[in-house]
Amino acid sequence: MAGAKDYSNSDVSNNREKVEFHVREILKLIGEDVEREGLLETPARVTRMYEEIFAGYAVDPRDVLGVTFDERHEELVIVKDIVYYSQCEHHMAPFYGKAHIGYIPSGKIAGLSKLARLVEAISRRLQVQERITSQIADILEEVLQPHGVMVVVEGEHLCMCARGVKKPGSKTVTSAVRGQFRQSSALRSEFLELLKR
Protein backbone atom coordinates (compact mmCIF):
# COMPACT_ATOMS: atom_id res chain seq x y z
CA MET A 1 0.00 0.00 0.00
CA ALA A 2 1.45 3.36 -1.02
CA GLY A 3 2.57 5.49 1.88
CA ALA A 4 2.07 2.72 4.45
CA LYS A 5 4.49 2.84 7.34
CA ASP A 6 6.76 -0.08 8.09
CA TYR A 7 6.30 -1.26 11.67
CA SER A 8 8.25 -4.49 11.17
CA ASN A 9 10.93 -3.51 13.72
CA SER A 10 8.46 -3.26 16.61
CA ASP A 11 8.65 -5.66 19.55
CA VAL A 12 5.20 -6.95 18.57
CA SER A 13 6.52 -7.96 15.13
CA ASN A 14 9.37 -9.86 16.72
CA ASN A 15 6.88 -11.76 18.88
CA ARG A 16 4.03 -12.05 16.38
CA GLU A 17 3.22 -15.74 16.95
CA LYS A 18 3.15 -15.34 20.73
CA VAL A 19 0.91 -12.27 20.53
CA GLU A 20 -1.51 -14.06 18.19
CA PHE A 21 -1.61 -17.06 20.53
CA HIS A 22 -2.45 -14.89 23.54
CA VAL A 23 -5.12 -12.90 21.68
CA ARG A 24 -6.72 -16.22 20.73
CA GLU A 25 -6.59 -17.33 24.39
CA ILE A 26 -8.23 -14.08 25.55
CA LEU A 27 -11.03 -14.60 23.03
CA LYS A 28 -11.60 -18.07 24.45
CA LEU A 29 -11.56 -16.78 28.04
CA ILE A 30 -14.28 -14.20 27.36
CA GLY A 31 -16.49 -16.96 25.93
CA GLU A 32 -15.94 -16.59 22.19
CA ASP A 33 -15.68 -19.36 19.62
CA VAL A 34 -12.29 -18.75 18.00
CA GLU A 35 -13.26 -21.05 15.12
CA ARG A 36 -16.15 -18.76 14.17
CA GLU A 37 -15.66 -17.30 10.68
CA GLY A 38 -15.58 -13.70 11.86
CA LEU A 39 -12.85 -14.46 14.40
CA LEU A 40 -10.54 -16.72 12.41
CA GLU A 41 -8.25 -13.85 11.37
CA THR A 42 -8.83 -11.68 14.42
CA PRO A 43 -5.64 -12.68 16.29
CA ALA A 44 -3.54 -11.77 13.24
CA ARG A 45 -5.44 -8.52 12.71
CA VAL A 46 -5.06 -7.52 16.37
CA THR A 47 -1.35 -8.31 16.20
CA ARG A 48 -0.90 -6.11 13.12
CA MET A 49 -2.82 -3.35 14.88
CA TYR A 50 -0.57 -3.71 17.94
CA GLU A 51 2.50 -3.42 15.69
CA GLU A 52 1.24 -0.01 14.64
CA ILE A 53 -0.21 1.41 17.86
CA PHE A 54 2.75 0.27 19.97
CA ALA A 55 5.46 1.16 17.45
CA GLY A 56 6.82 3.77 19.87
CA TYR A 57 8.62 1.06 21.82
CA ALA A 58 10.97 0.54 18.88
CA VAL A 59 11.95 4.22 18.73
CA ASP A 60 14.03 6.51 20.92
CA PRO A 61 11.94 9.70 20.86
CA ARG A 62 15.12 11.80 21.03
CA ASP A 63 16.21 10.39 17.70
CA VAL A 64 13.08 11.48 15.83
CA LEU A 65 14.04 15.14 16.18
CA GLY A 66 16.82 14.24 13.78
CA VAL A 67 19.01 16.94 12.35
CA THR A 68 18.66 20.31 14.02
CA PHE A 69 19.47 23.59 12.34
CA ASP A 70 21.46 26.54 13.61
CA GLU A 71 19.16 29.51 13.36
CA ARG A 72 19.26 32.91 15.03
CA HIS A 73 15.49 33.04 15.48
CA GLU A 74 14.78 33.43 19.20
CA GLU A 75 11.05 34.11 19.12
CA LEU A 76 8.16 31.82 19.91
CA VAL A 77 7.61 28.86 17.58
CA ILE A 78 4.31 26.98 17.87
CA VAL A 79 3.05 23.82 16.20
CA LYS A 80 -0.53 23.21 17.27
CA ASP A 81 -3.30 20.70 16.66
CA ILE A 82 -0.96 17.70 16.35
CA VAL A 83 -3.42 14.78 16.45
CA TYR A 84 -2.28 11.77 18.48
CA TYR A 85 -3.69 8.36 19.41
CA SER A 86 -2.50 6.41 22.42
CA GLN A 87 -3.48 3.59 24.76
CA CYS A 88 -4.19 4.08 28.46
CA GLU A 89 -1.83 1.92 30.49
CA HIS A 90 -4.49 1.33 33.16
CA HIS A 91 -7.18 -0.25 30.95
CA MET A 92 -5.46 -0.57 27.54
CA ALA A 93 -8.31 1.57 26.19
CA PRO A 94 -7.66 4.20 23.54
CA PHE A 95 -7.34 7.88 24.22
CA TYR A 96 -6.73 10.55 21.64
CA GLY A 97 -6.66 14.26 21.10
CA LYS A 98 -4.35 17.09 20.11
CA ALA A 99 -0.94 18.26 21.29
CA HIS A 100 0.22 21.87 21.06
CA ILE A 101 3.93 22.63 21.33
CA GLY A 102 5.65 25.99 21.75
CA TYR A 103 9.32 26.72 22.26
CA ILE A 104 11.71 29.63 22.14
CA PRO A 105 14.89 28.61 20.30
CA SER A 106 18.30 29.48 21.65
CA GLY A 107 20.07 29.12 18.31
CA LYS A 108 18.89 25.61 17.40
CA ILE A 109 15.59 24.64 15.71
CA ALA A 110 14.05 21.35 14.62
CA GLY A 111 12.14 20.70 11.41
CA LEU A 112 8.46 21.33 12.11
CA SER A 113 7.40 17.83 11.05
CA LYS A 114 9.85 16.45 13.63
CA LEU A 115 7.68 17.84 16.42
CA ALA A 116 4.74 15.80 15.11
CA ARG A 117 6.99 12.75 14.90
CA LEU A 118 8.06 13.31 18.49
CA VAL A 119 4.42 13.29 19.62
CA GLU A 120 3.83 10.09 17.66
CA ALA A 121 6.90 8.31 19.06
CA ILE A 122 5.88 9.14 22.63
CA SER A 123 2.17 8.38 22.26
CA ARG A 124 2.49 5.04 20.44
CA ARG A 125 2.97 3.00 23.59
CA LEU A 126 1.04 2.38 26.79
CA GLN A 127 0.79 5.84 28.31
CA VAL A 128 -0.94 8.32 30.55
CA GLN A 129 -1.64 11.80 29.23
CA GLU A 130 0.34 13.48 31.99
CA ARG A 131 3.48 11.54 31.02
CA ILE A 132 3.05 12.28 27.30
CA THR A 133 2.92 15.99 28.12
CA SER A 134 6.00 15.95 30.34
CA GLN A 135 8.05 13.72 28.02
CA ILE A 136 7.45 15.99 25.03
CA ALA A 137 8.63 19.01 27.04
CA ASP A 138 11.59 17.20 28.61
CA ILE A 139 12.91 15.81 25.31
CA LEU A 140 12.58 19.15 23.54
CA GLU A 141 14.42 20.79 26.41
CA GLU A 142 17.16 18.15 26.35
CA VAL A 143 17.74 18.03 22.57
CA LEU A 144 17.13 21.66 21.50
CA GLN A 145 18.17 23.39 24.74
CA PRO A 146 15.70 26.21 24.07
CA HIS A 147 15.08 29.24 26.26
CA GLY A 148 11.70 27.75 27.12
CA VAL A 149 9.14 25.08 26.24
CA MET A 150 5.40 24.88 26.78
CA VAL A 151 3.25 21.89 25.87
CA VAL A 152 -0.52 21.57 26.16
CA VAL A 153 -2.20 18.22 25.46
CA GLU A 154 -5.95 17.66 25.16
CA GLY A 155 -7.37 14.17 25.37
CA GLU A 156 -10.58 12.19 25.31
CA HIS A 157 -10.24 8.89 27.18
CA LEU A 158 -12.43 5.94 26.28
CA CYS A 159 -11.71 4.39 29.69
CA MET A 160 -13.73 7.30 31.07
CA CYS A 161 -16.22 7.76 28.22
CA ALA A 162 -17.19 4.18 27.32
CA ARG A 163 -16.82 2.43 30.70
CA GLY A 164 -16.64 3.27 34.38
CA VAL A 165 -18.10 6.73 34.95
CA LYS A 166 -19.33 6.84 31.31
CA LYS A 167 -19.02 10.56 30.59
CA PRO A 168 -18.60 10.89 26.80
CA GLY A 169 -17.38 14.22 25.53
CA SER A 170 -15.37 15.02 28.66
CA LYS A 171 -11.86 16.26 27.89
CA THR A 172 -8.66 16.23 29.90
CA VAL A 173 -6.14 19.04 29.44
CA THR A 174 -2.56 18.80 30.71
CA SER A 175 0.37 21.19 30.42
CA ALA A 176 4.11 21.20 30.93
CA VAL A 177 6.10 24.42 31.30
CA ARG A 178 9.88 24.75 31.16
CA GLY A 179 12.41 27.59 31.18
CA GLN A 180 11.23 31.10 30.36
CA PHE A 181 7.61 29.96 30.13
CA ARG A 182 7.75 28.99 33.79
CA GLN A 183 9.11 32.41 34.73
CA SER A 184 6.88 34.61 32.57
CA SER A 185 3.10 34.71 32.80
CA ALA A 186 3.12 36.98 29.73
CA LEU A 187 4.78 34.26 27.64
CA ARG A 188 2.33 31.65 28.87
CA SER A 189 -0.55 33.98 28.01
CA GLU A 190 0.88 34.65 24.53
CA PHE A 191 1.16 30.91 23.87
CA LEU A 192 -2.40 30.22 25.05
CA GLU A 193 -3.79 33.16 23.11
CA LEU A 194 -2.13 31.98 19.89
CA LEU A 195 -3.65 28.53 20.39
CA LYS A 196 -7.12 30.08 20.19
CA ARG A 197 -6.51 31.64 16.76
Side-chain angles (χ1 to χ4, degrees):
M1 184 164 100
K5 293 185 181 179
D6 179 12
Y7 297 105
S8 59
N9 290 326
S10 75
D11 288 341
V12 178
S13 296
N14 297 330
N15 294 293
R16 185 174 285 163
E17 287 182 14
K18 290 180 182 177
V19 175
E20 287 186 24
F21 170 80
H22 289 292
V23 170
R24 195 172 291 107
E25 290 302 300
I26 290 170
L27 289 170
K28 289 178 188 174
L29 289 169
I30 64 171
E32 269 293 354
D33 174 8
V34 294
E35 300 304 320
R36 187 162 63 80
E37 182 182 9
L39 292 177
L40 286 175
E41 296 301 316
T42 295
R45 285 193 294 264
V46 170
T47 301
R48 288 193 300 272
M49 178 186 72
Y50 279 2
E51 289 175 7
E52 183 174 343
I53 66 177
F54 296 131
Y57 287 113
V59 177
D60 183 338
R62 291 159 190 82
D63 293 342
V64 302
L65 288 174
V67 176
T68 58
F69 305 96
D70 292 330
E71 186 61 50
R72 298 180 71 176
H73 182 85
E74 294 195 12
E75 303 295 330
L76 180 56
V77 176
I78 296 176
V79 179
K80 64 180 186 174
D81 297 330
I82 302 169
V83 175
Y84 73 90
Y85 298 90
S86 193
Q87 298 285 313
C88 164
E89 69 180 32
H90 300 138
H91 299 96
M92 290 185 71
F95 69 97
Y96 57 91
K98 293 179 179 178
H100 315 286
I101 299 171
Y103 75 101
I104 302 170
S106 63
K108 195 187 299 185
I109 62 171
L112 299 177
S113 68
K114 304 301 185 187
L115 300 182
R117 291 185 193 280
L118 175 62
V119 172
E120 184 171 282
I122 289 171
S123 62
R124 287 186 178 272
R125 52 184 74 196
L126 291 175
Q127 273 288 16
V128 295
Q129 184 175 324
E130 295 88 342
R131 187 185 309 127
I132 288 175
T133 311
S134 295
Q135 286 182 337
I136 293 168
D138 291 342
I139 290 170
L140 281 171
E141 189 174 45
E142 177 185 331
V143 175
L144 297 182
Q145 300 176 346
H147 293 303
V149 176
M150 187 163 174
V151 178
V152 173
V153 176
E154 306 169 34
E156 188 164 349
H157 296 248
L158 292 191
C159 60
M160 184 174 166
C161 299
R163 58 155 302 282
V165 73
K166 295 186 181 77
K167 296 296 178 195
S170 57
K171 296 259 173 63
T172 301
V173 179
T174 50
S175 68
V177 182
R178 306 287 186 269
Q180 288 183 1
F181 283 99
R182 180 169 286 172
Q183 299 152 12
S184 170
S185 60
L187 267 178
R188 293 193 300 275
S189 296
E190 180 184 358
F191 175 77
L192 295 171
E193 185 59 37
L194 288 169
L195 291 189
K196 296 175 186 175
R197 295 186 182 179

